[in-house]
Amino acid sequence: MKKRTFTLIIFLLTCIPIYCQLSKQEEKKLDSLMQISKIPGVSLSIIKNNKLVYNKGFGISGGSKKVTEKTIFQAASLSKFPTALLFLINNQNQQFDIDNEINLYLKTNKLEGLKSDPSTIPTISQLLSHTGGINMSGFLGYKPDKKRIPTIENVIEGKHTFIWEPKIKIKNEVNSENKYSGGGYCYLQKAIKDTKGEPFRTVIQKELLQPLNMQNSFYSLTPNNRNDVAYGYSKKGKPIKLGYKVYPQEAAAALWTTSFDYSQLLLEVMAGLNDNRPSILTKESIKLLTTPTNTTNGKLNLYGLGVGLQVDENGKVKGIGHSGANIGYSSFFYLDINDGSGYVLLTNRNFADLSEIKSLLRKNIFGK
């Protein structure tokens, strides 16, 4: 009896820090779902009660190389959430006012209003919440060996881009509706560059990623000669030629990260809501982040600043989340802001069906 008790104690002690959130049976189920959905590799982190309780890699990152906790993935549109946090930090220190129109922070490539309403230019918050009336929902990326990768200025002007990537401009009435626009984030990227005098990637590294000790995260066209890279795969399970596409639209789509690192962003949001924990985010910023946008069409849009919103039966925001899809990569995160529980899921498959995996994680974390 004493021997069994001692063995149980040892097991519990070794399980407490991490790797105990998914049971062996659940991990096998995840492996099975990956095979069914032809997902080569997964990076997964789980948060419960404001603590990271699980972090693990599954499958392969390319060839026969296994995904580890430090394998980096393209986060795709999950890149937008950190961009929003960067602007909230700068709103706090008064270097930006997110209620000001974007043109106040642009030296060149200023937005022109609609002919019917030339004086109305979207604000930073409207661009962050996809209510700025901007065209271009998303981008397909460029081959890494392309002789001329467009600059952010080129992208905005529609020069040296694909024929289906025209000039980014106001297409619809500002604040008339919520219409997803990665194009709006290109203007946000340019505003950081013009105002700070440094590239967007440099600014967000110094002001957000480094302070949160996200050592395996960076905004970049390429994975910076890293050896632990999850290379992208197509829907049919074949490797993407050259491994990945590059996205000069950094603020919208060019974050390389791990699920562990990305979870630090979610923990920071919870710290900002907790009076007893220090955070680079104020409660006021979290409120701005999680407030649904109201547009002139009268609809309540379940999108805040850089995040989608989930509401309860009383219409109160209970969670934030976002999905992402670059060529060769699919991703998703969710955080319940009431109890500080959620997860980050990164994969290296093109437009992967994550529904069954998300269902497995919901049952594990929330019991439903």
Side-chain angles (χ1 to χ4, degrees), residues 202-237:
T202 303
V203 175
I204 198 167
Q205 193 77 30
K206 291 194 302 184
E207 297 187 9
L208 181 67
L209 305 185
Q210 287 180 359
L212 296 186
N213 199 31
M214 295 171 65
Q215 298 180 6
N216 293 300
S217 300
F218 47 86
Y219 282 75
S220 177
L221 298 182
T222 69
N224 293 349
N225 298 317
R226 288 279 296 257
N227 292 321
D228 45 359
V229 179
Y231 292 104
Y233 284 74
S234 70
K235 287 184 178 180
K236 296 181 179 180

Side-chain angles (χ1 to χ4, degrees), residues 72-174:
I72 60 173
F73 290 69
Q74 272 190 355
S77 285
L78 266 62
S79 305
K80 294 179 175 68
F81 175 44
T83 297
L85 295 185
L86 176 65
F87 275 96
L88 286 170
I89 292 169
N90 279 274
N91 187 64
Q92 291 171 183
N93 62 29
Q94 299 182 342
Q95 291 191 5
F96 284 86
D97 184 336
I98 63 172
D99 291 324
N100 280 341
E101 67 175 49
I102 190 67
N103 280 353
L104 292 176
Y105 304 99
L106 296 172
K107 293 181 178 179
T108 62
N109 305 100
K110 291 179 183 283
L111 266 170
E112 297 179 2
L114 292 172
K115 289 183 178 181
S116 59
D117 190 12
S119 64
T120 302
I121 303 298
T123 64
I124 290 173
S125 61
Q126 287 169 339
L127 295 179
L128 288 170
S129 62
H130 303 289
T131 57
I134 306 295
N135 63 342
M136 290 304 297
S137 59
F139 307 92
L140 297 181
Y142 302 91
K143 293 180 180 179
D145 63 351
K146 189 177 188 297
K147 289 184 178 180
R148 185 167 188 172
I149 303 295
T151 63
I152 192 60
E153 291 82 5
N154 292 154
V155 170
I156 288 172
E157 294 165 359
K159 295 181 178 179
H160 310 300
T161 59
F162 294 126
I163 193 170
W164 56 83
E165 293 180 353
K167 181 178 180 177
I168 299 175
K169 60 184 180 180
I170 301 175
K171 184 179 180 180
N172 302 303
E173 183 183 339
V174 175

